[in-house]
Structure formats: C-alpha cells, structure tokens
Amino acid sequence: MSRTLDPAARVVIIGAGIVGCSLADELTARGWSDVTVLEQGPLPAPGGSTSHAPGLVFRTNPSKTMTAFAVYTAEKFAGLDVDGLPCYHRVGGLEVATTPERWADLHRKAGHAASWGVDGELITPERCAELWPLLDPGQVLGGFHTPGDGLVRAVLACRAQTRRAEERGARFLERHTVTGIERADGRVTGVVTDRGSFPADVVVSAAGFWGPVIGKLAGVPVPLLPLAHQYVRTAPLPELAGVNDPRTETGRPILRFQDADLYFREHTDRIGIGSYDHRPLPVDPFTLPAYDDAEVMPSSLPFTGEDFARGWERSARLLPALAASRVEEGFNGVFSFTSDGMPVLGESRELRGFWLAEAVWVTHSAGVAKAVAEWLTDGRPSVDVHECDLHRFEDVQLSPGHVAERGARQFAEVYDIVHPLQPAERPRPLRVSPFHTRQRELGAVFLESGGWERPHWYEANAPLAADVDVPARDAWSARYWSPIAAAEARATRERVALYDMTPLRRLEVTGAGALDFLQRMTTNQLAKKPGAVTYTLLLDAAGGIRSDLTVARLGERHFQVGANSGQDLDWLLRHAPDDVQVRDVTSGTCCVGVWGPLARALVQPLTRDDFSHRAFGYFRAGRTWIGDVPVTAMRLSYVGELGWELYTGADTGLRLWDTLWEAGQDLGVVAAGRSAFDSLRLEKGYRAWGRDMTAEDDPYEAGLGFAVRMDKGDFTGRDALAGRAAGGPGRRLVCLTLDDPAAVVLGKEPVYVDGSPLGHITSAGYGYTVGRTVAYAWLPAAHAAPGTAVSVEYFGEKVPATVAEEPLFDPGMSRIRR
C-alpha cells in the first residue's frame, strides 16, 4: 500500500487487547478520530492473552525489526501511568547460561544487542547472584544483563492508552461480539456484531488468538496457531518478605533460564514462573467459550500439573529456595504462534481495507501498533516490516496442517538455540523443482526456503573437495556447511556448473499498458527494444527499497520479471491498471543457471542460434531451443562468470537438465548449490534484498544508484530521491574482508570502529576465490572509505576487518562479457 487514507476514514479495530488499544492510541495521536474499538469481553480486561500476560519485555531479538518493535514498546509504556501506577517497570532482564552452548549463544545475543543499539552486558555468575539473590551461582556459567528491559502491566497500559484515545474521539465498546464482515466490490464496508453494525472504511483485526475466527468471517486466512503456555505463582517466600513494594511487585530483573525453557518474575513476595517445558497444547479458537461461560476467562485454561512437574524440579535447581515452597496457583494461558514466529501484519489484497495486526505479543505490541498506524496514515511504516507482511507466506504455507505443525514447532523451540540456517524437518518436501530427482541422485543436501527444497551442496562433489584448501571452521559456522561448497565454487570459476534457480520468483507482466506501468513502478529505464534485460528497483514513496528486480522485455507488451517474494507480486497487483495483467508463473516454470568460463562451450552445440558475445550480449534475452527443449535464455550472471539463465516449462525441465548434464560431461560440469552461489555473489558484490537492503535503505546508501534513472520520467519514490545523490548518503553499505584468512562470520554481527559499535553485518560468507571471508555491512559514511580498519564481534571476540574496494572479483567485468 502506498496511498495514504483520509484522516476522516472510519476505522473499526476488532479487539481491545494490548495491540488494539495501542493502535487506537497511535491512530488518534496522528489525527484520526473516527476510531471504534469493538471488544467481545468486558473492559479493561476482556479475557484475551493481554488479560493474563506476565508482561515480559526482552528487547533483543535476531530480527532487527522485532527489536525495534520491542524498543518502542518499552519506551512508550515507560511514559504511561494510571493513577500514579507506572505501566512499565524498567527492572532489567537477565538471561543465564548453564551449558557451554548457551553461554556461547549469550555472546551471540550480546552481539545482536550491540548491532541493534540495545544496552547489554555479559556478566559473571557472581554478578548474576547479586542481581538475583535467590539464584545459585554454582549452577550458571554466566549471564546477559540488559538494564533497559522490564515488565509491562498490560491491562494498565491498555487503560492508559484507552483513556488517551477516548480523549481524542475514539470509542471503546465492550461486549460486542463480531459476527460478520460486510464488503462490496472487493472492499470492506463494515463490521456486524451481535449488538448492531458499524460502517467502516478500514477494519483492523487485532483479535489475538481469535484472529482465525475473524479472518474466516472476512475470507482472509490468518495463519496462526493458539497454544497454551503454563504460568504459576508460588506460595509466599520468606526470602522475599518485605523486599518489594506491593504497588510495583518487583525490583529484580526478569530472569530467563532458557536451558530449561523457563522464566521467572517477582509478584511481591511470590515468584511467577512461565514454562515452555511441556508438550505443545494447541487450542481451537472456534471452540473457546465466551467470557461469561469460561471458568476464569477464555484465555485461561485449567492448569495441567503433570505438564509442570519437570519445570518445577528444574526451577528449584536454579532457585534453591523453591524447594521449600509449592505452586499455589497456576493456569494454562493461551497465546498465538505463527509458522516462523513473526507477527502477521498488513492489508489483504482480496478484501481491501481489511488489515491484520495478529500474532503479536505484549513485548512488541506498541511497536507493531505504531508501524500499522504509520502504514495507514503515511502509506508506509518507518521500519522495515517485510518479515511480518501477511503476503510473505506461500499458498502451501497457509494450509491448516502446515500452520499447526510449524506453529507447534515454534512453541517447542521458543527458547532453543536455533541456527540461522536450520530448517524445519516437517512437513517436507512441499515444493520441488523438476530437477529434484537428479539432485537426489547426486546427493544434494537440501535446506528449505518458501516451501522450496533448495540444494546447498552435492555430496557427489566430495571427491573434488579433497584438494581444496579451506580453513577449519568452528562448530557453529560449520553447521549446514560443507567444504564441498568450495569445490563447487572453484568448478564454477574454472569450468562450468549448473545451478537450480527455480525457486526464484518469476512474474509475467503483459498488456497494452505493461511498459508504462513498469516504468512508473521501477527506477531504471525499461523503454528498450525487445530482448533487453534490465536490473531495476521497486521503491516506496519515501525512496526505500521494497525490492530489486530483473526485468526482461520479451515482446512489445510482454515482460518477465525476476522478483524476490510474494510481496512483490502483491505490490504490483495492487497498482496494476486495467490494461495490465500480472501473473505469477513460478510454479509452472523452472530455471537452470549455466555459469562458468566453459558455459558457452556447453550451450552453443545444443542450439542452432548464435550464442557468441556479439550475437547474444550481456543483459540480453531471447527464445531458443536447447536440444528439444524450448527455452527463454537470459544472459545474466549472479556469480560473476559467463553464462545464461535458461527458463522452460516445468513439464520440460527434467529434459533440459538431462540435456545440459549429458553435454557437459566432457567439460567437467558439476551441479552446484546455494552455498557456493552465495560465496560467488558476495565476491562479485551483488546485493541480496531483505538481507543487504530493505525499505529502510535508499538506492544511494545501498550502492545501487546506477539502477536509478532520474531523467526517465516519474516513478514511485522519485520525488523522495531528488537531491539525495548530490549530497551523498550519510550511511553506506560497504564491503569488508576479514584480515585473518581463517576467520568466519555469518551475518548480523556488530561492526566496531575505534571501539564503538557503529554498524552491523548484513550478508557474510567465505570467498573461496579471494581466500577470506567477505561481508557486507552498514556503516556511517565517515567510516566507509576503503582501507578503514574495523572489527567484527563474533561470539564475543573482536575480529579485525578492513573496508574493501568493491567488487573484489573481476571489477572490469571481463569474465562476464567474454
């Protein structure tokens, strides 16, 4: 969505939990006064997750976006009070490690905190015991202390924001159960309740774990799974008698014992314990009782003591004082999980005006509300939200079975040490390319992305790795990696390799207005003759990079667009005029990347068309035949070598692979995986959207100004970019090389300049051609000059690095244009 709505728009928010109340406050603060919040339960504690939430705010998250949400939540609620009672207690957070693996992970987490600007410190067991006197320091190896973290009184924060929103004109209506969503011509027009109807231009579902219920009424899938999570309070502890003010309840940090899936907070003279150390307990939101029919409230289910037995035993081991106490009360509280652990935000394309703000925990509530309010009022959030966008899910990821399986997995792994490349084991496989059978025969090691099985390396190439000199890796960076990737990268540089590029999204844009439409939507000049291929960008109105695209003009009114995600499809469909058709053709097609200095020697004998450099230049496309297979060939290379992307239908894909494979045997052809691909593209300086740049970054900062043609006419984001290039960016995406050829980093680590964390790594990988790790990082422009000495913190160790001139490999492009 790029348009901004009229501040007089009628907004109905479904749900008066912490998200709904926060959103009403954020919208009315921006001048929107016609805001109605409908709640099925009584106010101010209507019986959803907010009503029982323990209120933990740990701000540090591997996701920069989620960290930003949590930081804003803490800042906002720290400024709110009700009748003198603060809504947020900045008591700090303390995470303890009882295993070497967790202690290492806390070092990694400290790196994330430094990358995202969160204050934190790794501390000794003795310091842990000073912060939490009931803790046995003999049980822990160390801790991570974050002083700015704390506890939200969620119901109190709802009251404070409700009061402010009402003063600005909003109304909150309790005991209104939503029974229908009205619509006309693809737009939402109102909300029906058991006590009347409410016309609306915008409806936001902030219904928490009832989100799937509201989504079904609207015909919009809401892929979340409600699960019960155990929480108990102990009997009064003598050790806490008189320690805490009953009005604030706590003075010590929130304590997380993640090795046992437990967390702790004080309730005056008692301790509250939350446990994930039990079997997943899924809940059907369609069968939950109404507030008045529930024993306590709909989100508070009866406590199952047998599920807590191990949690209690492990709690007493860390906090010995509990051995003389008991569980005085407990419940199984319901809240929401998604298949990837992220919220579900954004506007439905099928039902315009219907928005989701779902699967949001108290930790991120105000930050999410601010982002959604900005999205509605300004046309874009101020932080990148692509990880949370409802259109990130593929159709296969929306099945009830997939949502249930992956949601339960997220619950089980909520406190686990999860590697950034670690894939889910089930349900798989879901999506495979036509080459899958051959890949399995070659011993492909598959990871998953977007439901696709993607080869990362091939065990068949193991003999080629025998004479490859690759530095040994530490246990963490060696996971989901193999030295075989080095052999595949070398084969690409020296001979020729086949890469399965099928999972990359392909869109077909056709129609009388196709060229004008793409010209308006993207930054580069596309008014070229058929056969031209152009690298270009999708920007938002503020000049932020929504995506990067490769656009091939196959005919006067026919374009093939290489895109990144379903969000690109959604963006183009929202803006396409009536004379333009946009279609996702990914599933019906496939692609083989044929790259390496012998690529032409492999392909030319298989076709009657001229594949010489003169006849088939770089960034050109054409239709031809490879053997018996019709293909669209594009002369592109994301690995920095001569080659083509060859596209064909899914039905002929296997024949294409076999044809290329057989013809390449005398040339030493190999199948190569994603691990080698990433190494090669980093050496060449090619950016990866979503990792190296997002909507928070503009083209000049990201080093992509060459893809912007300000003289081509109007395009989305042009006005925002006017004048930026002349002044130079204040921050830049730069290439780093680690000084030690054996050192490795993986991404998201902080970058230090003169001892201060001033940036963070985006992408990183070992450059097998250049013989050292290559990383891209955001740094202030003042420290972005080649030759600048920096350091990267990897598991607590400062690794020296240097800003490098890019690209590292073949800056003259002679290998591609041969």
Side-chain angles (χ1 to χ4, degrees):
M1 180 174 178
S2 60
R3 60 191 172 83
T4 55
L5 298 176
D6 187 338
R10 300 164 298 178
V11 180
V12 173
I13 300 170
I14 301 172
I18 192 70
V19 177
C21 292
S22 297
L23 180 57
D25 182 48
E26 295 287 340
L27 285 173
T28 56
R30 288 165 172 76
W32 289 30
S33 58
D34 194 347
V35 176
T36 300
V37 183
L38 301 175
E39 175 52 58
Q40 64 182 343
L43 296 175
S49 300
T50 300
S51 302
H52 66 67
L56 282 63
V57 177
F58 281 92
R59 295 166 297 162
T60 305
N61 190 288
S63 164
K64 181 174 182 285
T65 296
M66 296 296 276
T67 300
F69 287 160
V71 166
Y72 181 78
T73 298
E75 291 175 350
K76 180 179 183 180
F77 291 166
L80 298 178
D81 70 87
V82 175
D83 301 330
L85 287 175
C87 295
Y88 184 74
H89 301 292
R90 192 176 278 112
V91 294
L94 174 61
E95 300 175 63
V96 296
T98 61
T99 66
E101 293 78 15
R102 182 69 61 180
W103 184 226
D105 191 59
L106 291 185
H107 283 76
R108 185 171 69 106
K109 185 166 289 186
H112 288 149
S115 289
W116 315 143
V118 174
D119 54 327
E121 178 187 16
L122 292 164
I123 60 176
T124 65
E126 293 72 26
R127 177 58 178 154
C128 290
E130 289 177 12
L131 292 169
W132 250 87
L134 298 185
L135 180 149
D136 178 4
Q139 296 290 319
V140 304
L141 301 177
F144 179 50
H145 180 220
T146 44
D149 292 345
L151 290 164
V152 173
R153 288 188 166 185
V155 173
L156 211 62
C158 285
R159 288 178 58 192
Q161 294 178 104
T162 296
R163 182 181 61 197
R164 298 201 313 187
E166 286 178 331
E167 289 171 352
R168 303 185 192 112
R171 58 177 175 167
F172 289 73
L173 302 177
E174 63 180 0
R175 296 190 178 278
H176 280 64
T177 299
V178 173
T179 59
I181 304 294
E182 295 182 321
R183 69 198 84 181
D185 300 324
R187 285 202 60 85
V188 70
T189 59
V191 177
V192 181
T193 76
D194 57 353
R195 299 177 64 178
S197 297
F198 297 83
D201 303 301
V202 173
V203 173
V204 183
S205 178
F209 57 76
W210 283 288
V213 178
I214 302 301
K216 186 172 184 178
L217 295 175
V220 176
V222 180
L224 65 81
L225 177 71
L227 286 145
H229 158 64
Q230 294 197 304
Y231 193 80
V232 306
R233 295 191 191 199
T234 68
L237 295 172
E239 293 84 353
L240 293 181
V243 172
N244 294 313
D245 184 342
R247 285 169 54 86
T248 58
E249 291 192 338
T250 182
R252 296 191 177 103
I254 325 158
L255 176 63
R256 285 208 284 200
F257 179 19
Q258 292 171 296
D259 288 322
D261 295 315
L262 297 166
Y263 63 84
F264 308 87
R265 58 154 295 182
E266 295 172 319
H267 293 280
T268 310
D269 60 352
R270 308 163 192 259
I271 292 180
I273 307 173
S275 174
Y276 296 95
D277 186 26
H278 58 82
R279 61 193 169 95
L281 300 168
V283 175
D284 183 354
F286 292 89
T287 62
L288 284 170
Y291 187 93
D292 293 327
D293 297 329
E295 184 175 338
V296 179
M297 55 183 169
S299 64
S300 181
L301 303 182
F303 184 61
T304 51
E306 65 276 12
D307 288 312
F308 193 72
R310 187 170 69 161
W312 177 256
E313 177 185 333
R314 299 171 89 176
S315 296
R317 193 178 309 152
L318 183 70
L319 308 176
L322 295 182
S325 187
R326 60 184 171 83
V327 173
E328 188 167 85
E329 58 179 310
F331 65 95
N332 290 358
V334 183
F335 64 139
S336 303
F337 283 80
T338 58
S339 59
D340 59 5
M342 303 295 283
V344 183
L345 312 178
E347 182 191 24
S348 167
R349 186 176 65 253
E350 290 73 21
L351 183 58
R352 302 293 180 92
F354 183 80
W355 288 71
L356 298 179
E358 298 289 10
V360 182
W361 295 3
V362 170
T363 306
H364 310 104
S365 54
V368 164
K370 176 175 180 279
V372 174
E374 291 172 334
W375 213 339
L376 282 163
T377 60
D378 303 332
R380 69 186 293 271
S382 58
V383 299
D384 172 62
V385 295
H386 83 272
E387 295 173 305
C388 311
D389 193 303
L390 69 94
H391 298 97
R392 72 186 184 271
F393 296 110
E394 304 291 336
D395 287 345
V396 295
Q397 297 173 314
L398 296 174
S399 74
H402 188 279
V403 172
E405 181 96 37
R406 295 289 175 93
R409 173 180 180 263
Q410 286 293 324
F411 178 92
E413 294 182 348
V414 69
Y415 279 173
D416 286 359
I417 300 171
V418 179
H419 194 278
L421 293 178
Q422 183 173 323
E425 297 302 322
R426 299 174 56 190
R428 290 176 61 188
L430 286 172
R431 310 176 78 186
V432 298
S433 80
F435 324 130
H436 186 69
T437 299
R438 297 293 183 263
Q439 292 166 344
R440 292 182 61 186
E441 292 169 356
L442 293 170
V445 175
F446 295 99
L447 301 184
E448 185 211 34
S449 178
W452 286 101
E453 296 294 319
R454 305 182 74 169
H456 273 241
W457 65 86
Y458 293 84
E459 290 295 333
N461 295 325
L464 301 178
D467 62 343
V468 173
D469 185 17
V470 182
R473 291 199 173 202
D474 63 274
W476 183 255
S477 64
R479 295 183 68 186
Y480 308 106
W481 172 86
S482 169
I484 294 172
E488 294 174 359
R490 185 171 72 174
T492 308
R493 291 279 189 240
E494 296 179 355
R495 301 189 303 279
V496 62
L498 305 184
Y499 288 82
D500 182 2
M501 306 303 289
T502 301
L504 301 184
R505 189 173 296 270
R506 291 171 292 286
L507 309 178
E508 184 180 75
V509 180
T510 58
L515 174 60
D516 290 343
F517 168 61
L518 289 173
Q519 284 280 73
R520 291 194 307 272
M521 296 302 297
T522 70
T523 59
N524 213 335
Q525 178 58 262
L526 302 181
K528 303 173 182 178
K529 294 179 180 179
V533 182
T534 307
Y535 177 80
T536 187
L537 305 172
L538 280 181
L539 304 184
D540 60 26
I545 304 172
R546 285 191 56 94
S547 189
D548 61 342
L549 309 176
T550 301
V551 179
R553 190 173 191 182
L554 302 181
E556 291 291 336
R557 301 180 175 185
H558 183 191
F559 295 82
Q560 180 172 307
V561 177
N564 284 297
S565 72
Q567 296 165 60
D568 297 341
L569 173 64
D570 174 66
W571 183 256
L572 294 176
L573 284 172
R574 286 179 187 275
H575 292 86
D578 292 340
D579 62 348
V580 174
Q581 295 78 48
V582 180
R583 191 165 65 98
D584 189 336
V585 297
T586 309
S587 297
T589 57
C590 61
C591 177
V592 182
V594 183
W595 290 310
L598 301 182
R600 183 176 288 113
L602 172 56
V603 175
Q604 183 62 81
L606 300 175
T607 179
R608 296 184 179 183
D609 291 310
D610 188 351
F611 270 52
S612 68
H613 180 64
R614 180 182 296 275
F616 202 141
Y618 190 54
F619 265 81
R620 298 294 298 172
R623 293 188 175 90
T624 186
W625 299 81
I626 299 296
D628 297 322
V629 180
V631 302
T632 297
M634 297 187 193
R635 190 166 168 201
L636 307 174
S637 175
Y638 290 96
V639 300
E641 296 291 342
L642 171 69
W644 286 264
E645 293 180 356
L646 303 176
Y647 298 88
T648 191
D651 56 338
T652 52
L654 185 59
R655 182 62 179 268
L656 174 62
W657 180 279
D658 287 345
T659 300
L660 293 167
W661 185 255
E662 181 180 352
Q665 291 307 299
D666 292 341
L667 301 174
V669 70
V670 302
R674 192 72 189 180
S675 186
F677 178 90
D678 277 339
S679 170
L680 297 170
R681 70 99 182 164
L682 282 167
E683 291 180 333
K684 193 58 183 168
Y686 293 138
R687 277 69 167 140
W689 181 83
R691 292 163 64 185
D692 298 319
M693 70 280 192
T694 69
E696 294 182 13
D697 314 306
D698 76 33
Y700 304 116
E701 295 172 329
L704 298 175
F706 67 87
V708 178
R709 293 289 182 266
M710 297 293 286
D711 59 351
K712 76 162 187 171
D714 193 27
F715 58 85
T716 301
R718 184 184 186 281
D719 291 346
L721 293 184
R724 288 195 195 179
R731 54 196 286 273
R732 291 179 186 169
L733 183 67
V734 300
C735 178
L736 305 180
T737 56
L738 302 192
D739 295 352
D740 181 356
V744 173
V745 298
L746 298 181
K748 300 188 178 180
E749 297 89 355
V751 180
Y752 287 76
V753 181
D754 297 328
S756 298
L758 298 183
H760 67 274
I761 300 295
T762 57
S763 296
Y766 200 85
Y768 301 111
T769 312
V770 299
R772 64 189 62 243
T773 291
V774 181
Y776 274 77
W778 284 101
L779 283 175
H783 303 286
T788 302
V790 302
S791 62
V792 181
E793 185 177 295
Y794 182 70
F795 286 93
E797 179 186 355
K798 299 295 196 300
V799 181
T802 303
V803 177
E805 193 79 48
E806 61 170 330
L808 298 172
F809 181 78
D810 189 28
M813 302 285 283
S814 61
R815 296 177 70 92
I816 290 177
R817 295 190 172 103
R818 60 171 76 185

